[in-house]
Amino acid sequence: MKIIVCENYDEMSKEGAKIIAALLKEKPDCILGLATGSTPVGMYKELAEMNKAGEITFKNVTSYNLDEYYPLAPDHDQSYRYFMNQNLFNNVDIDIAKTHVPDGLAEDPAAMGAAYDAEIEAAGGIDLQVLGLGPNGHIAFNEPEDELYVGTHLTGLTDSTIEANSRFFASKADVPTQAVTMGIGTIMKAKKIVVLASGKAKHAVIEKMMDGRITTQVPGTILKCHPDVVLICDKAAMEG
Ligand code: F6R
């Protein structure tokens, strides 16, 4: 795992954007795996500015997002589809028909998950997957458990994740308790993975990312087995 420590959030965002921009130039029809949450917002802003300046184009890009709350409609203002439209898709020249977010209203989430993974595979696989890290070490919504799922699936959210994400909802009671999420296998199949982490709250998980062990109790540690991971974090996340 390559580790880049940045001075602050802005620098982290620029570093992440640089890596994505390089891929867009090298492979304009690349397949991006995208994350929501607070961490990538600055990077998405950078990318939108680069797009506006004519440095990069998303015209031929296809994207697959990691996860979506369940059950939640795509037009709900806390849905991850809504988040992606607001924070990236509406601000760049991407073809919205080529953007994908797991269906938070799927009647049969298991079938939806299998179809999502099959579609990614048929498209040629994810070239670059963006990830954030939960304070408890989750990646996408693969929460600390004894056993983790390989493919895209329906999952329950831990109380700590519901608490952490309640900042976006009117109250904790409004946060959905379930989500549909890519599994660890879906994520690990990506050709390259860029993990972003900012702020003190991520320090404990960053420490776990640095030792020589993996555990399903800190799902992010499994990324150590991937051949091409770049962890970009700021000093606050690295030093605590
Ligand atoms: C988002 C996702 C989550 C977040 C994580 C960190 O699509 O899958 O795993 O990356 O919860 O969230 P923030 O960035 O808000 O700290």
Side-chain angles (χ1 to χ4, degrees):
M1 179 163 33
K2 185 177 166 191
I3 299 171
I4 303 174
V5 183
C6 300
E7 202 55 45
N8 52 39
Y9 178 83
D10 285 350
E11 211 185 279
M12 177 203 75
S13 302
K14 287 197 173 94
E15 279 299 322
K18 252 200 267 174
I19 294 176
I20 295 185
L23 174 66
L24 293 181
K25 285 176 193 165
E26 185 195 317
K27 190 175 180 189
D29 60 347
C30 64
I31 306 203
L32 294 179
L34 298 174
T36 61
S38 305
T39 316
V41 169
M43 182 180 77
Y44 292 152
K45 267 197 195 130
E46 285 291 328
L47 288 169
E49 276 167 28
M50 290 166 121
N51 183 229
K52 208 169 156 198
E55 290 167 38
I56 52 171
T57 175
F58 288 79
K59 240 185 254 164
N60 296 311
V61 167
T62 302
S63 74
Y64 290 91
N65 259 79
L66 287 170
D67 41 20
E68 180 60 280
Y69 287 116
Y70 188 91
L72 204 64
D75 59 356
H76 189 287
D77 66 1
Q78 290 307 330
S79 77
Y80 284 170
R81 159 54 75 184
Y82 189 90
F83 174 100
M84 288 310 299
N85 289 351
Q86 293 294 114
N87 285 285
L88 184 67
F89 300 152
N90 290 348
N91 311 328
V92 296
D93 61 351
I94 201 163
D95 175 359
I96 201 80
K98 288 190 185 149
T99 68
H100 306 85
V101 178
D103 181 3
L105 291 179
E107 268 179 39
D108 183 346
M112 182 281 295
Y116 199 69
D117 289 338
E119 193 182 326
I120 293 172
E121 206 138 338
I126 290 171
D127 291 299
L128 185 153
Q129 176 67 57
V130 177
L131 290 179
L133 285 171
N136 65 359
H138 72 218
I139 47 174
F141 276 133
N142 296 281
E143 298 276 31
E145 297 274 7
D146 288 345
E147 296 181 330
L148 299 173
Y149 280 80
V150 175
T152 299
H153 62 285
L154 178 68
T155 186
L157 302 181
T158 61
D159 195 54
S160 69
T161 296
I162 293 170
E163 181 74 49
N165 290 5
S166 65
R167 67 191 193 274
F168 302 113
F169 288 82
S171 77
K172 191 175 160 185
D174 291 323
V175 186
T177 56
Q178 291 180 293
V180 277
T181 179
M182 282 187 192
I184 297 292
T186 319
I187 293 168
M188 290 291 277
K189 277 187 197 154
K191 289 161 199 145
K192 185 181 187 72
I193 298 179
V194 174
V195 189
L196 302 174
S198 166
K200 264 184 171 185
K202 303 292 168 73
H203 177 61
V205 56
I206 291 297
E207 277 200 312
K208 290 278 188 190
M209 295 295 290
M210 313 279 291
D211 69 25
R213 288 168 290 171
I214 62 172
T215 169
T216 61
Q217 296 300 333
V218 185
T221 59
I222 295 161
L223 300 172
K224 292 174 199 178
C225 297
H226 190 283
D228 189 359
V229 177
V230 186
L231 169 63
I232 310 174
C233 60
D234 60 11
K235 273 191 172 167
M238 183 53 79
E239 293 166 11

PDB file of all heavy atoms in Angstrom, residues 200-219:
ATOM      1  N   LYS A 200      -9.018  13.639  12.791  1.00  0.00           N
ATOM      2  CA  LYS A 200      -8.668  12.836  13.977  1.00  0.00           C
ATOM      3  C   LYS A 200      -9.530  11.593  14.163  1.00  0.00           C
ATOM      4  O   LYS A 200      -9.063  10.568  14.640  1.00  0.00           O
ATOM      5  CB  LYS A 200      -8.909  13.711  15.216  1.00  0.00           C
ATOM      6  CG  LYS A 200      -7.715  14.409  15.751  1.00  0.00           C
ATOM      7  CD  LYS A 200      -8.153  15.117  17.021  1.00  0.00           C
ATOM      8  CE  LYS A 200      -6.936  15.666  17.731  1.00  0.00           C
ATOM      9  NZ  LYS A 200      -7.234  16.255  18.986  1.00  0.00           N
ATOM     10  N   ALA A 201     -10.821  11.722  13.812  1.00  0.00           N
ATOM     11  CA  ALA A 201     -11.762  10.613  14.056  1.00  0.00           C
ATOM     12  C   ALA A 201     -11.355   9.355  13.281  1.00  0.00           C
ATOM     13  O   ALA A 201     -11.823   8.258  13.596  1.00  0.00           O
ATOM     14  CB  ALA A 201     -13.173  11.039  13.666  1.00  0.00           C
ATOM     15  N   LYS A 202     -10.474   9.529  12.283  1.00  0.00           N
ATOM     16  CA  LYS A 202     -10.049   8.374  11.482  1.00  0.00           C
ATOM     17  C   LYS A 202      -8.702   7.820  11.945  1.00  0.00           C
ATOM     18  O   LYS A 202      -8.200   6.853  11.372  1.00  0.00           O
ATOM     19  CB  LYS A 202      -9.979   8.756   9.990  1.00  0.00           C
ATOM     20  CG  LYS A 202     -11.288   9.309   9.417  1.00  0.00           C
ATOM     21  CD  LYS A 202     -12.369   8.250   9.342  1.00  0.00           C
ATOM     22  CE  LYS A 202     -13.749   8.817   9.046  1.00  0.00           C
ATOM     23  NZ  LYS A 202     -13.939   9.258   7.694  1.00  0.00           N
ATOM     24  N   HIS A 203      -8.111   8.446  12.985  1.00  0.00           N
ATOM     25  CA  HIS A 203      -6.761   8.055  13.388  1.00  0.00           C
ATOM     26  C   HIS A 203      -6.660   6.588  13.823  1.00  0.00           C
ATOM     27  O   HIS A 203      -5.742   5.871  13.418  1.00  0.00           O
ATOM     28  CB  HIS A 203      -6.261   8.970  14.504  1.00  0.00           C
ATOM     29  CG  HIS A 203      -4.906   8.570  15.002  1.00  0.00           C
ATOM     30  ND1 HIS A 203      -3.793   8.548  14.176  1.00  0.00           N
ATOM     31  CD2 HIS A 203      -4.481   8.131  16.224  1.00  0.00           C
ATOM     32  CE1 HIS A 203      -2.741   8.135  14.872  1.00  0.00           C
ATOM     33  NE2 HIS A 203      -3.132   7.870  16.101  1.00  0.00           N
ATOM     34  N   ALA A 204      -7.631   6.143  14.631  1.00  0.00           N
ATOM     35  CA  ALA A 204      -7.565   4.765  15.147  1.00  0.00           C
ATOM     36  C   ALA A 204      -7.596   3.760  13.994  1.00  0.00           C
ATOM     37  O   ALA A 204      -6.824   2.787  13.983  1.00  0.00           O
ATOM     38  CB  ALA A 204      -8.719   4.517  16.112  1.00  0.00           C
ATOM     39  N   VAL A 205      -8.438   4.030  13.003  1.00  0.00           N
ATOM     40  CA  VAL A 205      -8.519   3.084  11.882  1.00  0.00           C
ATOM     41  C   VAL A 205      -7.267   3.188  11.002  1.00  0.00           C
ATOM     42  O   VAL A 205      -6.759   2.177  10.500  1.00  0.00           O
ATOM     43  CB  VAL A 205      -9.854   3.212  11.106  1.00  0.00           C
ATOM     44  CG1 VAL A 205     -10.124   4.566  10.595  1.00  0.00           C
ATOM     45  CG2 VAL A 205      -9.914   2.246   9.933  1.00  0.00           C
ATOM     46  N   ILE A 206      -6.706   4.383  10.879  1.00  0.00           N
ATOM     47  CA  ILE A 206      -5.461   4.533  10.094  1.00  0.00           C
ATOM     48  C   ILE A 206      -4.340   3.729  10.761  1.00  0.00           C
ATOM     49  O   ILE A 206      -3.563   3.042  10.095  1.00  0.00           O
ATOM     50  CB  ILE A 206      -5.053   6.030   9.952  1.00  0.00           C
ATOM     51  CG1 ILE A 206      -6.056   6.771   9.053  1.00  0.00           C
ATOM     52  CG2 ILE A 206      -3.633   6.181   9.387  1.00  0.00           C
ATOM     53  CD1 ILE A 206      -6.127   6.281   7.621  1.00  0.00           C
ATOM     54  N   GLU A 207      -4.283   3.746  12.083  1.00  0.00           N
ATOM     55  CA  GLU A 207      -3.269   2.944  12.788  1.00  0.00           C
ATOM     56  C   GLU A 207      -3.425   1.471  12.439  1.00  0.00           C
ATOM     57  O   GLU A 207      -2.444   0.768  12.215  1.00  0.00           O
ATOM     58  CB  GLU A 207      -3.417   3.133  14.296  1.00  0.00           C
ATOM     59  CG  GLU A 207      -2.720   4.387  14.795  1.00  0.00           C
ATOM     60  CD  GLU A 207      -2.456   4.324  16.282  1.00  0.00           C
ATOM     61  OE1 GLU A 207      -3.396   3.974  17.016  1.00  0.00           O
ATOM     62  OE2 GLU A 207      -1.316   4.626  16.679  1.00  0.00           O
ATOM     63  N   LYS A 208      -4.669   1.023  12.389  1.00  0.00           N
ATOM     64  CA  LYS A 208      -4.944  -0.393  12.043  1.00  0.00           C
ATOM     65  C   LYS A 208      -4.559  -0.687  10.593  1.00  0.00           C
ATOM     66  O   LYS A 208      -4.240  -1.824  10.244  1.00  0.00           O
ATOM     67  CB  LYS A 208      -6.426  -0.712  12.236  1.00  0.00           C
ATOM     68  CG  LYS A 208      -6.845  -0.745  13.683  1.00  0.00           C
ATOM     69  CD  LYS A 208      -6.504  -2.088  14.281  1.00  0.00           C
ATOM     70  CE  LYS A 208      -7.087  -2.235  15.674  1.00  0.00           C
ATOM     71  NZ  LYS A 208      -6.562  -3.446  16.338  1.00  0.00           N
ATOM     72  N   MET A 209      -4.626   0.353   9.755  1.00  0.00           N
ATOM     73  CA  MET A 209      -4.280   0.169   8.339  1.00  0.00           C
ATOM     74  C   MET A 209      -2.767   0.022   8.158  1.00  0.00           C
ATOM     75  O   MET A 209      -2.302  -0.371   7.093  1.00  0.00           O
ATOM     76  CB  MET A 209      -4.753   1.363   7.498  1.00  0.00           C
ATOM     77  CG  MET A 209      -6.249   1.557   7.427  1.00  0.00           C
ATOM     78  SD  MET A 209      -7.122   0.241   6.587  1.00  0.00           S
ATOM     79  CE  MET A 209      -6.613   0.484   4.899  1.00  0.00           C
ATOM     80  N   MET A 210      -2.004   0.410   9.205  1.00  0.00           N
ATOM     81  CA  MET A 210      -0.554   0.462   9.055  1.00  0.00           C
ATOM     82  C   MET A 210       0.157  -0.784   9.588  1.00  0.00           C
ATOM     83  O   MET A 210       1.323  -0.987   9.292  1.00  0.00           O
ATOM     84  CB  MET A 210       0.019   1.668   9.806  1.00  0.00           C
ATOM     85  CG  MET A 210      -0.715   2.970   9.579  1.00  0.00           C
ATOM     86  SD  MET A 210      -0.254   3.742   8.069  1.00  0.00           S
ATOM     87  CE  MET A 210       1.384   4.190   8.516  1.00  0.00           C
ATOM     88  N   ASP A 211      -0.521  -1.594  10.433  1.00  0.00           N
ATOM     89  CA  ASP A 211       0.209  -2.753  10.970  1.00  0.00           C
ATOM     90  C   ASP A 211       0.135  -3.903   9.952  1.00  0.00           C
ATOM     91  O   ASP A 211      -0.480  -3.793   8.910  1.00  0.00           O
ATOM     92  CB  ASP A 211      -0.299  -3.130  12.374  1.00  0.00           C
ATOM     93  CG  ASP A 211      -1.697  -3.704  12.367  1.00  0.00           C
ATOM     94  OD1 ASP A 211      -2.105  -4.246  11.328  1.00  0.00           O
ATOM     95  OD2 ASP A 211      -2.389  -3.606  13.400  1.00  0.00           O
ATOM     96  N   GLY A 212       0.774  -4.991  10.261  1.00  0.00           N
ATOM     97  CA  GLY A 212       0.906  -6.066   9.270  1.00  0.00           C
ATOM     98  C   GLY A 212      -0.201  -7.102   9.326  1.00  0.00           C
ATOM     99  O   GLY A 212       0.001  -8.237   8.894  1.00  0.00           O
ATOM    100  N   ARG A 213      -1.360  -6.722   9.878  1.00  0.00           N
ATOM    101  CA  ARG A 213      -2.417  -7.731  10.041  1.00  0.00           C
ATOM    102  C   ARG A 213      -3.721  -7.306   9.367  1.00  0.00           C
ATOM    103  O   ARG A 213      -3.929  -6.129   9.123  1.00  0.00           O
ATOM    104  CB  ARG A 213      -2.677  -7.954  11.538  1.00  0.00           C
ATOM    105  CG  ARG A 213      -1.550  -8.713  12.209  1.00  0.00           C
ATOM    106  CD  ARG A 213      -1.677  -8.659  13.703  1.00  0.00           C
ATOM    107  NE  ARG A 213      -1.401  -7.326  14.189  1.00  0.00           N
ATOM    108  CZ  ARG A 213      -1.598  -6.941  15.453  1.00  0.00           C
ATOM    109  NH1 ARG A 213      -2.092  -7.779  16.333  1.00  0.00           N
ATOM    110  NH2 ARG A 213      -1.298  -5.715  15.815  1.00  0.00           N
ATOM    111  N   ILE A 214      -4.570  -8.290   9.121  1.00  0.00           N
ATOM    112  CA  ILE A 214      -5.916  -7.974   8.640  1.00  0.00           C
ATOM    113  C   ILE A 214      -6.938  -8.577   9.604  1.00  0.00           C
ATOM    114  O   ILE A 214      -6.657  -9.570  10.264  1.00  0.00           O
ATOM    115  CB  ILE A 214      -6.174  -8.493   7.200  1.00  0.00           C
ATOM    116  CG1 ILE A 214      -6.066 -10.017   7.135  1.00  0.00           C
ATOM    117  CG2 ILE A 214      -5.235  -7.844   6.204  1.00  0.00           C
ATOM    118  CD1 ILE A 214      -6.513 -10.595   5.786  1.00  0.00           C
ATOM    119  N   THR A 215      -8.088  -7.952   9.696  1.00  0.00           N
ATOM    120  CA  THR A 215      -9.173  -8.493  10.514  1.00  0.00           C
ATOM    121  C   THR A 215     -10.522  -8.048   9.943  1.00  0.00           C
ATOM    122  O   THR A 215     -10.656  -6.902   9.505  1.00  0.00           O
ATOM    123  CB  THR A 215      -9.057  -8.042  11.991  1.00  0.00           C
ATOM    124  OG1 THR A 215     -10.286  -8.381  12.663  1.00  0.00           O
ATOM    125  CG2 THR A 215      -8.825  -6.545  12.138  1.00  0.00           C
ATOM    126  N   THR A 216     -11.476  -8.946   9.974  1.00  0.00           N
ATOM    127  CA  THR A 216     -12.820  -8.587   9.505  1.00  0.00           C
ATOM    128  C   THR A 216     -13.464  -7.587  10.460  1.00  0.00           C
ATOM    129  O   THR A 216     -14.475  -6.978  10.119  1.00  0.00           O
ATOM    130  CB  THR A 216     -13.735  -9.827   9.392  1.00  0.00           C
ATOM    131  OG1 THR A 216     -13.855 -10.427  10.689  1.00  0.00           O
ATOM    132  CG2 THR A 216     -13.189 -10.827   8.396  1.00  0.00           C
ATOM    133  N   GLN A 217     -12.880  -7.430  11.654  1.00  0.00           N
ATOM    134  CA  GLN A 217     -13.425  -6.460  12.614  1.00  0.00           C
ATOM    135  C   GLN A 217     -13.039  -5.021  12.245  1.00  0.00           C
ATOM    136  O   GLN A 217     -13.567  -4.060  12.807  1.00  0.00           O
ATOM    137  CB  GLN A 217     -12.963  -6.789  14.051  1.00  0.00           C
ATOM    138  CG  GLN A 217     -13.488  -8.131  14.562  1.00  0.00           C
ATOM    139  CD  GLN A 217     -15.016  -8.214  14.605  1.00  0.00           C
ATOM    140  OE1 GLN A 217     -15.703  -7.205  14.740  1.00  0.00           O
ATOM    141  NE2 GLN A 217     -15.561  -9.414  14.447  1.00  0.00           N
ATOM    142  N   VAL A 218     -12.076  -4.886  11.333  1.00  0.00           N
ATOM    143  CA  VAL A 218     -11.744  -3.572  10.751  1.00  0.00           C
ATOM    144  C   VAL A 218     -11.643  -3.819   9.237  1.00  0.00           C
ATOM    145  O   VAL A 218     -10.561  -4.040   8.697  1.00  0.00           O
ATOM    146  CB  VAL A 218     -10.401  -3.009  11.307  1.00  0.00           C
ATOM    147  CG1 VAL A 218     -10.165  -1.590  10.773  1.00  0.00           C
ATOM    148  CG2 VAL A 218     -10.388  -3.019  12.824  1.00  0.00           C
ATOM    149  N   PRO A 219     -12.799  -3.833   8.557  1.00  0.00           N
ATOM    150  CA  PRO A 219     -12.814  -4.290   7.167  1.00  0.00           C
ATOM    151  C   PRO A 219     -11.794  -3.606   6.255  1.00  0.00           C
ATOM    152  O   PRO A 219     -11.257  -4.239   5.342  1.00  0.00           O
ATOM    153  CB  PRO A 219     -14.261  -4.022   6.737  1.00  0.00           C
ATOM    154  CG  PRO A 219     -15.044  -4.168   8.012  1.00  0.00           C
ATOM    155  CD  PRO A 219     -14.166  -3.565   9.075  1.00  0.00           C
TER     156      PRO A 219
END
